[in-house]
Amino acid sequence: MKRKVLLIYTGGTIGMEKDYETGSLKAFDFGNIFRKIPEMNLLECEVSVHPFSEPLDSSDVGPKEWKIIANYIGKNYEKYDGFLILHGTDTMSYTASALSFMLKNLRKPVILTGSQLPIGDLRTDAKENLLTSLYYTSLYENDEAVIQEVAVYFEYKLLRGNRTLKYSAEYFDAYQTPNYHLLGQSGVHLNVEKDFLWRPKTDEKFTVDSHISQDVLFWRIFPGMHLEHFSEIPNMKVLILQVFGSGTIFNTEKTQQTLQLLRERGTEIVVVSQCVSGGISFGKYSNSNIFTKIGAISGHDMTAESAISKAMHLLENPNYEGSFAENFNKNLCGEVTFDLEN
Ligand code: ASP
């Protein structure tokens, strides 16, 4: 049976080609994708293409586009067996993370991919990324989708979307999930690591919850920083602090006073690590005790991208029962590991 895949093209390098007269990159007509990559006709799936009317550099993709993509998948969920999103690489991890929270109880694959070189380039990585992503997007066994989550496929690796970070602007191997296993790898065989795939924990039906709040601020601390400037920022509902190592911050009176003041004003404080691998472990060093004292929320081993979009999704979301902290402390869709402290 030929599986049906909906390919949503949002923009980014993958959809570009070189204008050999001017030497600059321009978007190519995605309606022509089958002519550009005739190998797509050999795949054992049926692909429908839905391009954005205006292809976007991914630095222009944000909450508005996340909602558009999520709702478009929602509208077409029953019609297709899988969804492939072609996206610029710069913010792909943010979009993948946001979609993982918005698409609830997903039972079909939603895979994002892009490329470092344009599809029309001789040395392009776009072709492999696109063709293998289509393979994973249409992979079913016993009439059940093998991948039932939001994933990123890039340079021979299938990765959990909300665990990814773009770590190279240079190499084809641009994405990593330092705190999670690979979900699959493409070599001579296309393999899937079944033990590490996410499965929805309930029998609840798939829904789209596209709630996103933008009253979230992210800040990386540095030695010598004047933290007290935070108290001048009005209406800061969530502050995500990216702190040192396993959760430390300079132990000064002013730090304590500022963070305490923010908490008294009702600001939620989430703590993530500046290290890309490992995560927060409150209490390991005395310079993290301030966070426990003021009731800050540990981001454990979450990526910055995932913590930001999770906070944006949960803040003042009427579809969740319980407090922001209670919900942030849950593993909603495989974005976090809780047992770092042990
Ligand atoms: N600036 C581009 C984007 O993120 C880079 C890329 O696609 O690789 O849209």
Side-chain angles (χ1 to χ4, degrees):
M1 168 185 183
K2 267 201 164 189
R3 295 285 163 188
K4 288 187 178 155
V5 175
L6 179 61
L7 185 157
I8 303 171
Y9 168 60
T10 68
T13 303
I14 192 162
M16 303 206 146
E17 60 186 348
K18 209 175 206 154
D19 182 333
Y20 282 100
E21 269 167 31
T22 63
S24 57
L25 291 177
K26 60 174 186 7
F28 86 91
D29 176 9
F30 234 82
N32 280 335
I33 184 76
F34 290 94
R35 250 194 286 147
K36 195 107 222 152
I37 308 190
E39 294 90 331
M40 278 176 69
N41 293 306
L42 301 175
L43 287 165
E44 277 175 31
C45 60
E46 209 178 291
V47 185
S48 306
V49 181
H50 174 74
F52 269 26
S53 50
E54 199 59 58
L56 296 174
D57 186 280
S58 74
S59 50
D60 279 325
V61 175
K64 182 173 149 235
E65 290 72 25
W66 302 341
K67 287 182 191 195
I68 292 174
I69 299 169
N71 288 325
Y72 198 69
I73 290 175
K75 213 171 99 195
N76 288 285
Y77 190 74
E78 295 306 331
K79 273 206 277 181
Y80 292 92
D81 300 301
F83 303 86
L84 177 61
I85 302 163
L86 301 190
H87 198 286
T89 57
D90 292 342
T91 69
M92 188 148 66
S93 294
Y94 289 91
T95 303
S97 299
L99 290 176
S100 74
F101 301 116
M102 290 168 141
L103 303 171
K104 302 251 165 294
N105 307 310
L106 202 54
R107 297 225 159 56
K108 295 183 178 181
V110 173
I111 297 183
L112 290 96
T113 195
S115 68
Q116 294 282 58
L117 284 176
I119 214 158
D121 194 288
L122 216 51
R123 293 178 53 244
T124 191
D125 52 333
K127 210 164 160 179
E128 202 286 322
N129 286 348
L130 175 61
L131 293 173
T132 308
S133 294
L134 281 169
Y135 167 84
Y136 281 119
T137 312
S138 53
L139 189 61
Y140 272 65
E141 268 174 23
N142 305 324
D143 222 23
E144 198 185 276
V146 174
I147 290 124
Q148 302 186 12
E149 60 183 290
V150 178
V152 165
Y153 179 78
F154 216 89
E155 188 64 3
Y156 306 113
K157 291 186 292 194
L158 184 69
L159 307 158
R160 173 157 304 153
N162 57 30
R163 294 287 195 151
T164 57
L165 50 96
K166 180 179 179 183
Y167 81 103
S168 177
E170 167 66 17
Y171 298 112
F172 288 147
D173 188 11
Y175 287 88
Q176 277 188 349
T177 51
N179 286 331
Y180 201 67
H181 312 265
L182 294 184
L183 300 185
Q185 221 170 345
S186 139
V188 174
H189 297 102
L190 290 163
N191 89 305
V192 178
E193 298 293 337
K194 288 199 173 143
D195 290 347
F196 300 118
L197 295 173
W198 177 257
R199 285 289 182 264
K201 294 210 169 48
T202 64
D203 289 337
E204 279 169 51
K205 273 187 71 174
F206 166 77
T207 51
V208 178
D209 174 358
S210 60
H211 177 91
I212 285 284
S213 160
Q214 288 178 248
D215 290 322
V216 170
L217 193 73
F218 178 86
W219 211 283
R220 180 181 171 103
I221 66 162
F222 55 90
M225 174 188 170
H226 283 302
L227 204 70
E228 53 276 24
H229 289 324
F230 285 137
S231 49
E232 290 155 27
I233 303 172
N235 297 331
M236 190 169 42
K237 294 189 178 150
V238 179
L239 171 64
I240 301 176
L241 273 186
Q242 196 181 39
V243 305
F244 308 128
S246 54
T248 56
I249 191 166
F250 17 83
N251 189 11
T252 63
E253 192 65 27
K254 275 195 177 148
T255 309
Q256 306 228 3
Q257 279 168 0
T258 310
L259 295 181
Q260 191 72 51
L261 180 72
L262 292 179
R263 292 291 293 132
E264 279 158 19
R265 286 187 191 161
T267 304
E268 297 286 358
I269 297 178
V270 176
V271 180
V272 294
S273 176
Q274 294 181 7
C275 298
V276 291
S277 153
I280 299 298
S281 185
F282 286 164
K284 185 165 177 191
Y285 295 97
S286 57
N287 276 34
S288 69
N289 289 347
I290 172 67
F291 295 125
T292 318
K293 202 163 145 202
I294 61 162
I297 303 164
S298 170
H300 298 272
D301 64 345
M302 290 179 73
T303 60
E305 291 84 339
S306 196
I308 290 168
S309 53
K310 186 173 181 178
M312 291 171 92
H313 179 66
L314 291 178
L315 181 62
E316 294 171 345
N317 188 334
N319 302 314
Y320 283 80
E321 282 171 17
S323 68
F324 175 87
E326 273 162 18
N327 289 311
F328 201 95
N329 277 323
K330 288 180 188 155
N331 182 9
L332 298 176
C333 44
E335 73 279 9
V336 64
T337 320
F338 284 126
D339 53 7
L340 294 176
E341 268 97 302
N342 302 327

